[in-house]
Amino acid sequence: MNKIVYFTSPGGDEMAILPRAELEALQDAADHAGALAAYRGGKVPGLTVEQTKAFVEAPSPLAFWRKFRGHTQAQLAAEIGIAQNYLSDLENGKRTGDVALWLRLAKALDLPVETLVDDAD
């Protein structure tokens, strides 16, 4: 384990400096714990082997979860108030959309918003 340096900021806050690898390991552990809690809490369903394969092969998490929830692009787009071709562009990574849009998508699909966003994004 690398050395962590503790200090007090000029404002009186206790701070720590740690190596980037350790920070990233802590972030990964927190992400994993959050995903596990979402699964255990029923917010994200478990997937079968076939569904997992479909998830990996989907162009994006959004595309997978839309299909998983039984929506067509036209249905989901209408529900959240966007054009179907815009949703297609989101699913295929051609457009990004703003945070409010992703929150509407998450609500419509009854999933945490982070479930819809690819880690590479």
Side-chain angles (χ1 to χ4, degrees), residues 16-90:
I17 298 174
L18 66 155
R20 181 183 205 115
E22 289 189 33
L23 173 63
E24 290 173 355
L26 287 170
Q27 289 171 323
D28 287 345
D31 290 345
H32 178 74
L36 189 57
Y39 170 73
R40 287 183 175 159
K43 293 179 181 175
V44 178
L47 302 176
T48 66
V49 171
E50 294 80 20
Q51 291 166 334
T52 302
K53 184 177 179 188
F55 178 83
V56 170
E57 292 173 351
S60 67
L62 174 59
F64 171 79
W65 288 110
R66 175 189 52 78
K67 291 176 189 174
F68 183 87
R69 293 292 199 218
H71 294 277
T72 65
Q73 284 183 345
Q75 289 169 330
L76 182 57
E79 185 175 340
I80 65 163
I82 62 172
Q84 179 273 325
N85 62 338
Y86 185 50
L87 179 57
S88 176
D89 286 350
L90 290 170

Side-chain angles (χ1 to χ4, degrees), residues 1-6 16-23:
M1 179 175 215
N2 290 314
K3 184 165 174 65
I4 299 174
V5 177
Y6 297 95
I17 298 174
L18 66 155
R20 181 183 205 115
E22 289 189 33
L23 173 63

